[in-house]
Amino acid sequence: KGAIFNNAAQVWNHTFYFEQFGTWTPIEGQLAQQIVRQWSTIEKFKEEFVAAGMSQFGSGWVWLACDKDGELSILTESNAGNPLTKGYIPLMTFDVWEHAYYIDYRNLRGDYLNALWKILDWRVIEERYMFFKSKKKKGNVKMGMNISIDIDKVTVADGKVIIDVDPNQKGWFDAILMAKNGVKLSDL
């Protein structure tokens, strides 16, 4: 994947991570319904999400993501990994790099992960989920970089989610995807 991917993805991942925190809000709406449909209860989902974060060996991320049909998955990615590179839409992530928790929690990663539920703004995650479930597939959604990305079109081709973003805002998406596909700046 290389340096371009690692740097671009880490900036994106961290910004996406911090944008989901603020004043705690309860989980409700269609996202809550989908979580209960897939995991039986919100508590079971949280337990599985934390368990996935605990199982991530070394540095990385645990993600809640959806596929092109709105089905949810808990995914783990090492280092700068991101569900976008696998055709999933990221909705929420918890950082499991030691720098995220070591000062406050030492080696108690589980305590850190459980504490994050108390500051999660579920409205942000619901907004992301509803945007990608909408029939319209066009609009504005908080997807990282501390900006809202104007999505021009979301389509599905050959089982992959294709996101067309405003040409003035697509640099980070391009950097992540170019690096994933092995394109180097020197190749351009």
Side-chain angles (χ1 to χ4, degrees), residues 30-176:
Q30 289 188 35
L31 177 61
Q33 293 169 8
Q34 185 69 17
I35 287 173
V36 169
R37 187 178 75 70
Q38 289 187 232
W39 283 278
S40 302
T41 68
I42 300 296
E43 286 309 311
K44 279 191 177 188
F45 159 73
K46 288 179 177 180
E47 288 170 13
E48 284 191 36
F49 194 86
V50 168
M54 292 293 296
S55 72
Q56 174 60 42
F57 178 76
S59 301
W61 303 85
V62 58
W63 298 87
L64 174 64
C66 68
D67 67 13
K68 63 183 175 47
D69 299 317
E71 290 292 309
L72 302 174
S73 295
I74 297 171
L75 307 171
T76 57
E77 294 284 343
S78 62
N79 301 320
N82 183 302
L84 286 170
T85 63
K86 295 181 175 139
Y88 287 90
I89 303 299
L91 302 174
M92 177 182 83
T93 191
F94 286 3
D95 184 345
V96 294
W97 284 69
E98 283 187 343
H99 68 246
Y101 61 88
Y102 197 79
I103 289 175
D104 293 328
Y105 293 93
R106 298 289 178 217
N107 62 342
L108 302 175
R109 184 187 278 185
D111 290 353
Y112 151 77
L113 291 169
N114 281 307
L116 293 178
W117 300 115
K118 297 174 188 167
I119 59 170
L120 199 61
D121 185 348
W122 281 104
R123 290 174 301 191
V124 172
I125 295 114
E126 172 78 10
E127 177 184 301
R128 292 169 179 166
Y129 182 65
M130 292 309 299
F131 179 82
F132 286 102
K133 277 198 59 150
S134 74
K135 303 279 186 237
K136 178 169 88 165
K137 302 286 188 206
K138 183 177 172 83
N140 184 279
V141 66
K142 292 180 183 176
M143 288 298 296
M145 304 309 301
N146 211 13
I147 59 171
S148 294
I149 299 293
D150 290 318
I151 304 291
D152 293 328
K153 184 169 84 175
V154 176
T155 55
V156 177
D158 299 323
K160 294 183 181 179
V161 177
I162 300 168
I163 303 170
D164 293 330
V165 297
D166 182 300
N168 296 319
Q169 298 178 324
K170 66 187 264 182
W172 287 108
F173 282 105
D174 287 345
I176 291 169

